Amino acid sequence: MPEAIELLHAEVLDHHEVAPDHWVITLDAPEIAAGARPGQFVMVRGIQGTDPLLPRALSIYHADVEGGCIELLYRVVGPGTTRLQEHEPGRRVAVWGPLGSQFRLPEGDRVVLVGGGVGVPPLVFWAERLAALSVPMEVIALIGAQSESSLVGIDRLRRARANVRIATDDGSQGRKGYVTDLLPQAVQSARATIYACGPTPMLKAVARLGKTLETPTELALEAPMACGVGACLGCTVPRREGGFARVCTEGPVFDRDSIDWETL
Amino acid sequence: MPEAIELLHAEVLDHHEVAPDHWVITLDAPEIAAGARPGQFVMVRGIQGTDPLLPRALSIYHADVEGGCIELLYRVVGPGTTRLQEHEPGRRVAVWGPLGSQFRLPEGDRVVLVGGGVGVPPLVFWAERLAALSVPMEVIALIGAQSESSLVGIDRLRRARANVRIATDDGSQGRKGYVTDLLPQAVQSARATIYACGPTPMLKAVARLGKTLETPTELALEAPMACGVGACLGCTVPRREGGFARVCTEGPVFDRDSIDWETL
Amino acid sequence: MELKQSARPNLSVTVAGMELKNPVMPASGCFGWGEEYARFFDLTDMGALVGKAVTPRPRPGNAGVRIVETPSGMLNAIGLQNPGPEAFLRDVLPRVRELGIPVWVNVSANALQEYVDLCGLLSSQPGVSAIELNLSCPNVGRGHAEFCVTPEAVMDTVSACRPVCRTHLIPKLSPNTTDITALARAAEAAGADALSMINTFVGMVIDIDKRRPVLGNRTGGMSGPAVRPIAVRMVYEVAGAVSIPIIGIGGISTWRDALEFLMAGATAVQVGTASFFNPRAIPEVIQGLETWMVDHGVANIREVIGAARVPTGG
Amino acid sequence: MELKQSARPNLSVTVAGMELKNPVMPASGCFGWGEEYARFFDLTDMGALVGKAVTPRPRPGNAGVRIVETPSGMLNAIGLQNPGPEAFLRDVLPRVRELGIPVWVNVSANALQEYVDLCGLLSSQPGVSAIELNLSCPNVGRGHAEFCVTPEAVMDTVSACRPVCRTHLIPKLSPNTTDITALARAAEAAGADALSMINTFVGMVIDIDKRRPVLGNRTGGMSGPAVRPIAVRMVYEVAGAVSIPIIGIGGISTWRDALEFLMAGATAVQVGTASFFNPRAIPEVIQGLETWMVDHGVANIREVIGAARVPTGG
Ligand SMILES: Cc1cc2nc3c(=O)[nH]c(=O)nc-3n(C[C@H](O)[C@H](O)[C@H](O)COP(=O)(O)OP(=O)(O)OC[C@H]3O[C@@H](n4cnc5c(N)ncnc54)[C@H](O)[C@@H]3O)c2cc1C
Ligand SMILES: Cc1cc2nc3c(=O)[nH]c(=O)nc-3n(C[C@H](O)[C@H](O)[C@H](O)COP(=O)(O)OP(=O)(O)OC[C@H]3O[C@@H](n4cnc5c(N)ncnc54)[C@H](O)[C@@H]3O)c2cc1C
Ligand SMILES: Cc1cc2nc3c(=O)[nH]c(=O)nc-3n(C[C@H](O)[C@H](O)[C@H](O)COP(=O)(O)O)c2cc1C
Ligand SMILES: Cc1cc2nc3c(=O)[nH]c(=O)nc-3n(C[C@H](O)[C@H](O)[C@H](O)COP(=O)(O)O)c2cc1C
Ligand code: FES
Ligand code: FES
């Protein structure tokens, strides 16, 4: 018997804006909270209507096992997220998960998180879980955003004792430029492991740098999804060994070497 | 130049349940409020998404000219009204109107309103406007519902000095049976005018009785609508003189004799 | 994204020699003859006015339920209600001519000779800029057969109308067909000046309580956003198969949708069902296209026509 | 609305001699081979299991974007990704046989002989209850041509497969055709035991920023609630044209939708896209039908099959 996935009509417990167009929604979902691992995601959908039709994938930003709830952090970009944003506390959304692969424990004692845009949520969850481990670990979080106003999750990273370094496209906070510019120095002279999540061009750059720096690298990918559970074969990315892998099932977290970055 | 119709993205000022599944929504719509006449309706639609696609027709329940707002009273029956109900105060809905024909002033001094189900709202608006006239008028309101719990607008009718008589299908309030059973007695021995709004079978019965009683009768009809403004020709009802009339434009208020009740 | 210049972009297009100030017009049967929508916006802002179908004789339309909503769409079985050609010429044409924008008359019939006669009559009237030949009407009886879903029937009808048509002749194609490019090529070969595409899909909704089809006519024509991807695909295919201009139709409700059709190869577009759920859909599409052009430094809308077409084999 | 009796209603139907405990099953390609959905409900609750297409050789599927959402629907261009018949027989069939519900294998190919060979191979395997012959696949190359959108092609393919097919043969029809009843009659005449209908509509979405089609394959197959009214109409038409059972498919996501197809004349239904947006769609459809039957005093689901069919001319 494969592991069961919870499908809930979960009550929205809280829903608030954390930055312009960036919202955190808290769902009453004890079973999902209990099973959630960093890097994993859920599929979320309004219950009424058929437009938007498909559920949307959102990473687990925080899982409160005792409180029985999960938090998702998302940016309103199109119809699916607009519809989600309309759900005020007290309403219900359909949600299923936890889904997909998780970040694996680092081998060395330094962890470098690289997050761009709304790629930050799973890294925050990871930083929190790493901080809760008994093994001491140095966590450096390199966070990129278009500008200061779209930086999210920074406080939580700091609370998880991560050393946060920021890059913004417009230089409004931190270094002006790409977050990947900060990577070589962060990895330098340590047995580091890189964990990255963000837009595909950023991930490609991280994968390339990870290879150059000979550093173990895990990347959480995105792809358009219909089902989120492995059935539709819609979310595939090319594998280095040929054929395709499903982002929702074999991923979203992939090892650097398993993906054919050139074709992607 | 034909008269302009206002198309607004109106803010929801208030939205509350007045009976199980029956809601009153208040919209900030000064131009519509100013022009609204009893019997008229508006088309309402959520702004996001294409399912449900079409706007829904709702009668004007109250127009506060000074306050610049209109009230609509509706029952949640399907996707359109379910979607509307989701709009909490502060959100906006697309709304256009006022649309369609209005009740005409009565000739005699007695007015008999006959309302069934969610046919009550336009009659409440009419009772209020009649009460505000300088001419004294006896207003009898015959209100039918499935049961006590789905009676709406009664307080407002009483406040507008209407003499309210009730019939419910299950006898939980007022007389057990059809509202039309109350009609002959209400019309008796007076120069009465009948105004009716409700389900089509009820309207057919009222039209028949109005004819028998030789009483002027105006009926507000319903029909499935796409545009609400006369363009789609989707909302037609058969005319006695042949051909079809548009409920949204020639109606919703029709004179008893203009409709071919047999074919309808 | 640098703005090239802040000059007003040029939205004008030419359809078969006809200059339109912008590529946006209403779809037949979805806009009356404009009178209702004149209460929402200035009709002269449109590229052209396309009215509801005129048939050889007045038609009262269908009895029973005429419309039903579907997921992101609707079915209609109006049955071509219209007052006939005499009333059209007397009451409607004189008024709409005054608008000063091109007026297209949609012509529907049940038989070849009727098409020819009506086309001859209406096309010679001053003020009629084009005849849109409705070769598809699933809602007027004869079971589920449609008039022109085969290339042969399209060829016959357009060929017969061409000599009598004194103005632009624009067949409007049915999507209820195996190969829309074959219909398009037939129309082009028969002398069409442009193609309107597409008309509605035949559909049915069943009332499970009454255990019968909702519509009085049983079936109806499906339109609205739901059909858009099929319409875009058909325009894309036909743009590769003919060289006459295409007017793209099917589910257009925003400027984004209109751009999809233009990029697929349409020279102009029609907005149908969207006017029902947003009476200002047409002016919003026009305004949205203009804003997009300014934002993207597109000086002339003609630059985007066919822009998404990939060479075959690619 | 009196309940006739509180005995459990009978949902079983017979499709070409095959007894199904209820008329609800997944649509091919929308349910894997069940393994993913086994985590949401008990697969043995279904009337049958219909797996994803098997092709003559393993197929990696299409590169680039494979799915895109549309209004109330989606386009897919998966490209028939599957491990081929050997892997199917080795890894999949032994597992799904164990479920004890009928297993239907969907077969897709590019050439007549391939269909025949594959049909022969798979239909003789114990545990395969039916071969669903996918006569429509818009996503596997050769431009936009589909394998079987003409009655002649359907006739040829089904006739060729019939003699080699050792089990029930159920052609699955394409809706991208002028007259679906002609395809259906051809399939019946060629010896089909039942018909699955419909497959997807060919559609396209254009990315207006990139100025090219969103899908790597340019076009894709449209499915989901958007297409339901067209599918219901086609089932209704075909139910009047053939006497073999019909499996209704297209946009079914609730028990209400399933009832529409049954009342239009389908004997069973398949749920496709709906499983993607509601992983419990199939059991909810089954449960909903049962509840509706109890509430309406319908003891046997067979009573509603074709219940909405109005005599022609009516
Ligand atoms: C495993 C996974 C985890 C994710 N986690 C988060 C998260 O924690 N927070 C968050 O805000 N978003 C997350 N996303 C992205 C999120 O799913 C999309 O933003 C969302 O689907 C957009 O839906 P929409 O209808 O609002 O916008 P759409 O109209 O669908 O898209 C708007 C824009 O976003 C692009 N887009 C849409 N879907 C994707 C996608 N899956 N990947 C990349 N680009 C896309 C479109 O091309 C378009 O430009 C995640 C995606 C995946 C696959
Ligand atoms: C001029 C006019 C004024 C109206 N005023 C009011 C009002 O003040 N308050 C109110 O609650 N409702 C009113 N209605 C009815 C209201 O428009 C419908 O209840 C609404 O459209 C239902 O939409 P839905 O999507 O929620 O339900 P649907 O799923 O569309 O319908 C649910 C049920 O209601 C039936 N139905 C749907 N639309 C209509 C219709 N137009 N007429 C009759 N039956 C219908 C359907 O057959 C179905 O059984 C009015 C209708 C018209 C035409
Ligand atoms: C209510 C209604 C009436 C229509 N009447 C006509 C008509 O008279 N002649 C015609 O050629 N098309 C007619 N159509 C089809 C539209 O012009 C258009 O081709 C179709 O609706 C697809 O576009 P849309 O999705 O934007 O509505 C009608 C459509 C609707 C919805
Ligand atoms: C992602 C996806 C993959 C599909 N793969 C197949 C397939 O392999 N074989 C087939 O016959 N149909 C396939 N179909 C079509 C479905 O089986 C079904 O006919 C169609 O989607 C309409 O039903 P729906 O609207 O319920 O999805 C596929 C559909 C989708 C959405
Ligand atoms: S989203 Fe369906 S297989 Fe991954
Ligand atoms: S609703 Fe369109 S004409 Fe009345």
Side-chain angles (χ1 to χ4, degrees):
Chain A
M1 257 305 283
E3 229 177 296
I5 302 175
E6 291 300 325
L7 165 60
L8 308 169
H9 284 192
E11 186 180 335
V12 178
L13 299 175
D14 185 60
H15 206 166
H16 66 276
E17 200 167 12
V18 289
D21 286 333
H22 290 71
W23 292 74
V24 171
I25 189 169
T26 309
L27 301 176
D28 180 24
E31 301 84 349
I32 299 179
R37 304 282 175 268
Q40 290 188 303
F41 67 99
V42 293
M43 296 300 274
V44 200
R45 186 176 184 271
I47 294 164
Q48 299 294 334
T50 58
D51 181 68
L53 184 73
L54 298 173
R56 297 301 194 262
L58 294 177
S59 304
I60 297 165
Y61 178 44
H62 181 71
D64 179 348
V65 180
E66 281 174 26
C69 58
I70 57 170
E71 286 180 13
L72 313 171
L73 188 166
Y74 66 96
R75 189 168 149 215
V76 175
V77 294
T81 47
T82 301
R83 184 83 175 98
L84 182 60
Q85 195 276 317
E86 290 177 356
H87 287 78
E88 321 228 345
R91 302 220 167 250
R92 287 175 186 275
V93 293
V95 57
W96 55 99
L99 304 168
S101 61
Q102 53 178 298
F103 294 123
R104 283 170 308 179
L105 281 175
E107 280 166 34
D109 50 10
R110 183 184 290 180
V111 160
V112 180
L113 310 176
V114 189
V118 286
V120 177
L123 302 176
V124 172
F125 189 23
W126 191 213
E128 288 177 347
R129 288 283 161 105
L130 287 173
L133 291 178
S134 51
V135 205
M137 195 99 59
E138 185 190 4
V139 178
I140 302 175
L142 313 178
I143 304 300
Q146 283 188 307
S147 78
E148 184 170 17
S149 65
S150 53
L151 279 168
V152 288
I154 305 298
D155 291 350
R156 296 225 183 162
L157 285 168
R158 294 214 169 105
R159 231 178 300 143
R161 294 188 304 276
N163 175 348
V164 180
R165 300 175 195 169
I166 290 168
T168 52
D169 295 356
D170 62 1
S172 52
Q173 189 169 335
R175 187 188 166 114
K176 180 175 158 89
Y178 291 129
V179 66
T180 42
D181 301 344
L182 306 169
L183 189 56
Q185 203 224 321
V187 168
Q188 216 178 31
S189 65
R191 274 189 65 216
T193 306
I194 301 173
Y195 300 91
C197 185
T200 304
M202 182 200 98
L203 295 184
K204 285 189 178 181
V206 172
R208 202 166 34 237
L209 277 168
K211 187 164 182 174
T212 314
L213 301 166
E214 290 174 3
T215 307
T217 307
E218 295 197 342
L219 306 109
L221 265 65
E222 289 193 2
M225 289 187 178
C227 71
V229 301
C232 73
L233 305 181
C235 64
T236 48
V237 289
R239 266 202 297 236
R240 219 166 77 159
E241 61 190 65
F244 296 95
R246 296 166 296 182
V247 170
C248 69
T249 306
E250 285 78 54
V253 179
F254 288 98
D255 186 78
R256 184 226 307 153
D257 292 330
S258 60
I259 301 297
D260 175 0
W261 296 99
E262 271 65 56
T263 320
L264 182 68
Chain B
M1 258 308 281
E3 227 177 295
I5 303 176
E6 291 300 325
L7 165 61
L8 308 169
H9 284 192
E11 187 180 336
V12 178
L13 299 175
D14 186 59
H15 205 166
H16 66 277
E17 200 167 12
V18 290
D21 287 332
H22 289 71
W23 292 75
V24 171
I25 189 169
T26 309
L27 300 177
D28 180 25
E31 302 84 350
I32 298 179
R37 305 282 175 267
Q40 290 189 303
F41 66 99
V42 294
M43 296 299 275
V44 200
R45 184 176 185 273
I47 294 164
Q48 298 294 332
T50 59
D51 180 67
L53 184 73
L54 298 173
R56 296 302 193 262
L58 293 177
S59 303
I60 297 165
Y61 177 45
H62 181 71
D64 178 348
V65 180
E66 280 174 27
C69 57
I70 57 169
E71 285 179 14
L72 313 171
L73 187 165
Y74 66 97
R75 188 167 150 220
V76 176
V77 293
T81 47
T82 301
R83 183 83 175 98
L84 181 60
Q85 195 275 318
E86 290 177 356
H87 287 78
E88 321 228 345
R91 302 218 168 252
R92 287 173 186 276
V93 293
V95 57
W96 55 101
L99 303 169
S101 62
Q102 53 179 297
F103 295 123
R104 281 167 311 177
L105 282 175
E107 280 165 33
D109 49 11
R110 184 185 289 179
V111 159
V112 181
L113 309 177
V114 190
V118 286
V120 176
L123 302 176
V124 172
F125 188 23
W126 191 212
E128 288 178 346
R129 288 284 160 104
L130 287 172
L133 291 178
S134 49
V135 202
M137 195 98 58
E138 186 191 3
V139 178
I140 302 176
L142 313 178
I143 304 299
Q146 284 189 305
S147 79
E148 184 169 19
S149 65
S150 53
L151 279 167
V152 288
I154 306 297
D155 292 350
R156 295 225 183 162
L157 285 168
R158 295 215 168 103
R159 229 179 298 144
R161 293 188 304 278
N163 177 345
V164 180
R165 300 174 196 170
I166 290 170
T168 52
D169 295 355
D170 61 1
S172 53
Q173 190 168 333
R175 184 188 167 117
K176 181 176 158 88
Y178 291 130
V179 67
T180 42
D181 301 343
L182 305 170
L183 189 53
Q185 201 224 323
V187 167
Q188 215 178 33
S189 68
R191 275 188 65 217
T193 306
I194 301 172
Y195 301 91
C197 184
T200 304
M202 183 200 98
L203 295 183
K204 285 188 178 182
V206 172
R208 202 165 37 235
L209 277 168
K211 188 163 182 175
T212 313
L213 301 166
E214 291 175 1
T215 307
T217 308
E218 294 197 344
L219 306 108
L221 265 65
E222 289 193 3
M225 291 185 176
C227 71
V229 302
C232 73
L233 305 181
C235 63
T236 48
V237 289
R239 265 202 297 236
R240 218 164 77 158
E241 62 189 64
F244 295 95
R246 295 167 296 184
V247 170
C248 70
T249 305
E250 285 79 55
V253 179
F254 288 98
D255 186 77
R256 183 225 308 150
D257 293 331
S258 60
I259 301 297
D260 175 358
W261 295 99
E262 271 64 55
T263 320
L264 182 67
Chain C
M1 245 184 303
E2 207 97 2
L3 305 195
K4 289 242 178 73
Q5 54 182 98
S6 57
R8 266 192 101 172
N10 181 355
L11 274 105
S12 75
V13 294
T14 310
V15 173
M18 218 181 323
E19 180 90 9
L20 310 179
K21 71 175 138 190
N22 66 59
V24 187
M25 59 190 101
S28 178
C30 301
F31 202 74
W33 275 101
E35 56 278 44
E36 288 84 13
Y37 290 97
R39 300 182 294 179
F40 292 97
F41 66 95
D42 184 349
L43 301 183
T44 66
D45 288 345
M46 304 191 297
L49 175 63
V50 188
K52 59 186 171 198
V54 177
T55 56
R57 279 165 299 281
R59 289 179 59 94
N62 291 334
V65 176
R66 290 180 169 190
I67 52 171
V68 58
E69 194 177 49
T70 68
S72 296
M74 64 178 281
L75 299 186
N76 87 80
I78 306 301
L80 294 176
Q81 176 176 339
N82 81 98
E86 287 74 31
F88 167 71
L89 293 177
R90 187 184 62 232
D91 304 333
V92 179
L93 188 57
R95 176 175 60 76
V96 295
R97 282 188 63 175
E98 293 297 308
L99 293 171
I101 56 172
V103 172
W104 295 14
V105 182
N106 183 276
V107 163
S108 285
N110 282 323
L112 188 62
Q113 195 54 45
E114 287 183 351
Y115 271 111
V116 173
D117 294 345
L118 200 51
C119 198
L121 171 67
L122 296 174
S123 68
S124 57
Q125 304 293 329
V128 173
S129 308
I131 296 291
E132 189 176 56
L133 215 54
N134 180 2
L135 298 183
S136 159
C137 194
N139 305 326
V140 291
R142 291 167 304 113
H144 304 298
E146 284 190 81
F147 199 79
C148 284
V149 285
T150 62
E152 298 71 29
V154 169
M155 173 69 90
D156 289 350
T157 313
V158 179
S159 301
C161 291
R162 179 69 281 181
V164 303
C165 184
R166 315 276 185 82
T167 182
H168 301 97
L169 184 61
I170 308 180
K172 182 168 173 181
L173 303 183
S174 164
N176 301 293
T177 190
T178 306
D179 181 2
I180 189 101
T181 64
L183 301 195
R185 272 189 298 253
E188 182 179 43
D193 293 312
L195 296 170
S196 284
M197 54 183 287
I198 53 170
N199 214 307
T200 54
F201 290 83
V202 187
M204 177 185 284
V205 173
I206 286 173
D207 183 325
I208 57 172
D209 295 318
K210 300 196 180 136
R211 302 191 183 190
R212 56 179 195 71
V214 170
L215 295 177
N217 190 55
R218 290 192 280 172
T219 62
M222 191 163 107
S223 62
V227 309
R228 194 171 61 234
I230 314 182
V232 169
R233 184 265 300 178
M234 289 183 166
V235 167
Y236 187 99
E237 278 180 4
V238 168
V242 301
S243 49
I244 51 179
I246 296 166
I247 295 92
I249 318 170
I252 298 174
S253 39
T254 69
W255 60 268
R256 279 189 192 78
D257 306 336
L259 262 186
E260 278 197 61
F261 279 86
L262 296 174
M263 289 182 178
T267 300
V269 295
Q270 294 180 1
V271 175
T273 303
S275 292
F276 300 157
F277 62 86
N278 175 12
R280 287 185 45 81
I282 293 175
E284 287 177 10
V285 168
I286 297 168
Q287 184 56 56
L289 286 177
E290 184 167 337
T291 305
W292 177 84
M293 289 171 73
V294 171
D295 289 351
H296 291 75
V298 173
N300 193 321
I301 194 76
R302 298 171 204 221
E303 293 169 31
V304 307
I305 295 172
R309 301 190 51 73
V310 191
T312 319
Chain D
M1 245 183 305
E2 207 98 1
L3 302 196
K4 290 236 180 77
Q5 54 182 98
S6 57
R8 265 192 100 172
N10 181 354
L11 274 105
S12 75
V13 295
T14 310
V15 173
M18 217 182 319
E19 180 90 9
L20 310 179
K21 70 176 141 190
N22 65 59
V24 187
M25 59 190 100
S28 177
C30 301
F31 202 75
W33 275 101
E35 56 277 47
E36 288 84 12
Y37 290 98
R39 300 183 292 179
F40 293 97
F41 67 95
D42 183 349
L43 299 184
T44 66
D45 289 344
M46 304 191 297
L49 174 63
V50 188
K52 58 186 175 198
V54 177
T55 56
R57 279 165 298 282
R59 289 180 57 93
N62 291 332
V65 176
R66 290 179 170 192
I67 53 170
V68 58
E69 194 178 48
T70 68
S72 295
M74 63 177 282
L75 300 186
N76 87 78
I78 308 300
L80 294 177
Q81 176 176 338
N82 82 97
E86 286 75 30
F88 166 72
L89 294 176
R90 187 184 61 231
D91 304 333
V92 179
L93 188 57
R95 177 174 60 77
V96 295
R97 281 186 65 174
E98 294 297 309
L99 292 171
I101 57 173
V103 172
W104 295 13
V105 181
N106 183 277
V107 163
S108 286
N110 282 324
L112 188 61
Q113 194 55 46
E114 287 182 350
Y115 272 110
V116 173
D117 294 344
L118 200 51
C119 198
L121 171 67
L122 296 175
S123 67
S124 57
Q125 304 294 328
V128 173
S129 307
I131 296 291
E132 189 177 57
L133 215 55
N134 179 4
L135 298 182
S136 158
C137 195
N139 305 327
V140 291
R142 290 169 304 114
H144 302 299
E146 284 190 83
F147 198 78
C148 284
V149 285
T150 62
E152 297 72 30
V154 169
M155 175 69 90
D156 290 350
T157 313
V158 179
S159 302
C161 291
R162 179 69 280 181
V164 301
C165 185
R166 315 276 185 83
T167 184
H168 300 98
L169 183 62
I170 308 180
K172 181 167 173 182
L173 303 182
S174 164
N176 300 293
T177 188
T178 306
D179 181 3
I180 189 100
T181 64
L183 301 195
R185 272 189 298 254
E188 182 180 42
D193 293 310
L195 296 169
S196 283
M197 52 183 289
I198 54 172
N199 215 307
T200 54
F201 290 83
V202 187
M204 177 184 283
V205 172
I206 287 173
D207 182 326
I208 57 172
D209 295 319
K210 298 194 182 139
R211 302 192 182 189
R212 57 180 194 70
V214 170
L215 295 177
N217 190 54
R218 289 193 279 176
T219 62
M222 191 162 106
S223 63
V227 310
R228 192 170 63 235
I230 314 182
V232 169
R233 183 265 299 178
M234 289 183 166
V235 167
Y236 187 99
E237 279 180 5
V238 168
V242 301
S243 48
I244 50 178
I246 296 166
I247 294 94
I249 318 170
I252 298 173
S253 37
T254 69
W255 60 269
R256 280 189 192 79
D257 306 337
L259 263 185
E260 279 198 60
F261 279 86
L262 296 174
M263 289 182 176
T267 300
V269 296
Q270 294 180 0
V271 175
T273 303
S275 292
F276 300 156
F277 61 87
N278 175 12
R280 288 184 45 82
I282 291 174
E284 287 177 10
V285 168
I286 298 168
Q287 184 55 58
L289 286 176
E290 183 167 339
T291 305
W292 177 85
M293 289 171 74
V294 171
D295 289 351
H296 290 76
V298 174
N300 193 321
I301 194 77
R302 296 171 207 221
E303 293 171 30
V304 307
I305 295 173
R309 302 189 51 74
V310 191
T312 318

